[in-house]
């Protein structure tokens, strides 16, 4: 059991999300940076889809009521057990009665805390992830509050700390042209690919709102509502793009100028409001290659963990 002493700015229980329900309007939800959650889970010998905590800024204090191994990945938080500093991206031991404190982050935006056995909240529609808009999943369908108690799964027999090399962040986000790209003016298409877009303070788990030079259509269009997904970049009448994220709606009627490739969606999770992104045009084959690179990374990671555990 974990007791929440200080909940942080917006801490939720997340796994890799729920699938199979978008046709009835239920968002995927799940970790905005799934690779970081998978890395944290592997370091503590959990399945990739085990539920952990997505930590978004501020101070999170957790009191552990059983001995546990944990790992924090993603954004670079200051990590302490009592007054003892802990390395980011490493598997570390905490004893029953001790308090884990995360402060920051120093870089990035969202951290992912995995504990051996996983956060054992009830499964809702096939997932433990929190979808706040529907008050579904996670811990009572909401962000954590002081005084909450989170159950843990069965602990693992782990023997020593182990860490992993993390990926390097860049503000270049690879994307594929969207189905309505041709509806935009030639100048707007050029602006979309060559400008740097600032992430707005209005961004959240539903979508990253971007600001920059307004994008214009050749002529006003009335589109029927159509399916959208995480990574879809819609352009509302304001001309300011919105990148849909894990909690985003399942349908929308705004023109879709592009789609962020799956391998780069994590960058939207780790870019802070005020920072800038630039979209890089890639082909479908390049998008597949990027996904294959992630598969190879986790294959090598697992071999290293198995060798050193």
């Amino acid at each position: 059991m974990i007791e929440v002493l200080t909940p942080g700015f917006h801490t939720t229980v997340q796994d890799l999300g729920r699938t199979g329900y978008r046709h009835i309007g239920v968002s995927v939800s799940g970790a905005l940076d799934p690779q970081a959650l998978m890395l944290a889970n592997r370091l503590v010998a959990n399945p990739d889809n085990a539920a952990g905590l997505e930590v978004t800024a501020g101070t999170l204090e957790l009191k552990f009521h059983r001995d546990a191994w944990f790992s924090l990945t993603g954004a670079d938080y200051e990590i302490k057990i009592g007054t003892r500093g802990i390395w980011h991206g490493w598997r570390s031991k905490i004893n029953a009665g001790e308090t884990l404190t995360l402060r920051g982050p120093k870089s990035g935006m969202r951290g992912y805390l995995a504990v051996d056995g996983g956060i054992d909240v009830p499964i809702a529609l096939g997932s433990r992830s929190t979808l706040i808009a529907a008050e579904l999943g996670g811990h009572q369908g909401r962000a954590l509050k002081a005084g909450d108690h989170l159950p843990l799964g069965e602990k693992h027999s782990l023997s020593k700390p182990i860490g992993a090399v993390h990926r390097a962040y860049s503000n270049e986000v690879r994307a594929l042209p969207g189905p309505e790209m041709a509806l935009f003016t030639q100048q707007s298409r050029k602006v979309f690919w060559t400008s740097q877009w600032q992430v707005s303070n209005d961004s959240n788990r539903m979508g990253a709102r971007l600001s920059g030079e307004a994008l214009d259509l050749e002529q006003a269009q009335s589109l029927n509502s159509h399916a959208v997904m995480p990574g879809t970049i819609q352009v509302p009448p304001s001309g300011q793009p919105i990148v849909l994220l894990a909690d985003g709606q399942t349908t929308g009627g705004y023109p879709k100028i592009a789609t962020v490739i799956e391998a780069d969606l994590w960058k939207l999770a780790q870019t802070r409001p005020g920072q800038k992104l630039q979209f890089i045009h890639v082909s479908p084959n390049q998008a597949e290659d990027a996904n294959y690179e992630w598969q190879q990374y986790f294959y090598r990671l697992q071999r290293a963990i198995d060798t050193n555990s």
Side-chain angles (χ1 to χ4, degrees), residues 13 29 52 58 72 77 86 97 103 135 141 167 169 177 180 270 308:
V13 177
S29 60
L72 185 82
Y77 282 76
I86 301 296
R103 288 189 178 91
E135 298 183 353
R167 76 245 149 139
Y169 171 86
E180 283 82 56
Q270 299 300 354
N308 293 284

Side-chain angles (χ1 to χ4, degrees), residues 131-162:
L131 180 56
I132 289 178
E135 298 183 353
L136 177 70
H139 181 72
Q140 302 177 12
R142 58 168 172 78
L144 299 186
K145 298 179 181 178
D148 285 342
H149 288 78
L150 303 174
L152 296 176
E154 186 175 350
K155 66 179 181 179
H156 303 320
S157 297
L158 302 174
S159 60
K160 63 180 181 180
I162 186 173

Side-chain angles (χ1 to χ4, degrees), residues 70-274:
F70 71 91
S71 178
L72 185 82
T73 59
D76 186 11
Y77 282 76
E78 177 187 61
I79 311 168
K80 288 187 175 181
I81 298 175
T83 59
R84 174 166 53 96
I86 301 296
W87 287 347
H88 177 269
W90 278 71
R91 178 171 78 200
S92 302
K93 178 78 177 294
I94 186 167
N95 297 317
E98 291 186 311
T99 297
L100 175 67
T101 303
L102 311 179
R103 288 189 178 91
K106 293 175 279 186
S107 63
M109 183 70 179
R110 293 175 173 88
Y112 292 86
L113 179 69
V115 181
D116 66 309
I119 307 296
D120 194 22
V121 294
I123 293 174
L125 297 182
S127 171
R128 292 184 169 90
S129 59
T130 308
L131 180 56
I132 289 178
E135 298 183 353
L136 177 70
H139 181 72
Q140 302 177 12
R142 58 168 172 78
L144 299 186
K145 298 179 181 178
D148 285 342
H149 288 78
L150 303 174
L152 296 176
E154 186 175 350
K155 66 179 181 179
H156 303 320
S157 297
L158 302 174
S159 60
K160 63 180 181 180
I162 186 173
V165 175
H166 284 221
R167 76 245 149 139
Y169 171 86
S170 80
N171 73 336
E172 294 185 343
V173 177
R174 291 168 289 187
L176 299 165
E180 283 82 56
M181 171 70 79
L183 298 182
F184 290 85
T185 65
Q186 183 176 356
Q187 174 63 16
S188 290
R189 281 177 269 164
K190 179 181 178 181
V191 166
F192 177 78
W193 294 114
T194 60
S195 296
Q196 292 209 340
W197 296 93
Q198 187 175 59
V199 177
S200 166
N201 287 324
D202 293 332
S203 301
N204 53 34
R205 282 185 48 86
M206 294 184 68
R209 294 179 176 271
L210 309 179
S211 60
E213 184 177 333
L215 303 177
D216 298 318
L217 296 170
E218 289 281 6
Q219 58 184 15
Q221 298 281 339
S222 178
L223 301 176
N224 292 328
S225 188
H226 43 260
V228 291
M229 64 187 66
T232 297
I233 306 175
Q234 294 186 298
V235 182
S238 66
Q240 303 299 301
I242 302 171
V243 186
L244 298 184
L245 300 178
D247 285 0
Q249 70 270 21
T250 59
T251 61
Y254 297 138
K256 304 184 294 293
I257 193 169
T259 301
V260 175
I261 68 171
E262 183 180 6
D264 277 7
L265 263 177
W266 68 272
K267 295 182 179 180
L268 279 300
Q270 299 300 354
T271 304
R272 301 183 185 197

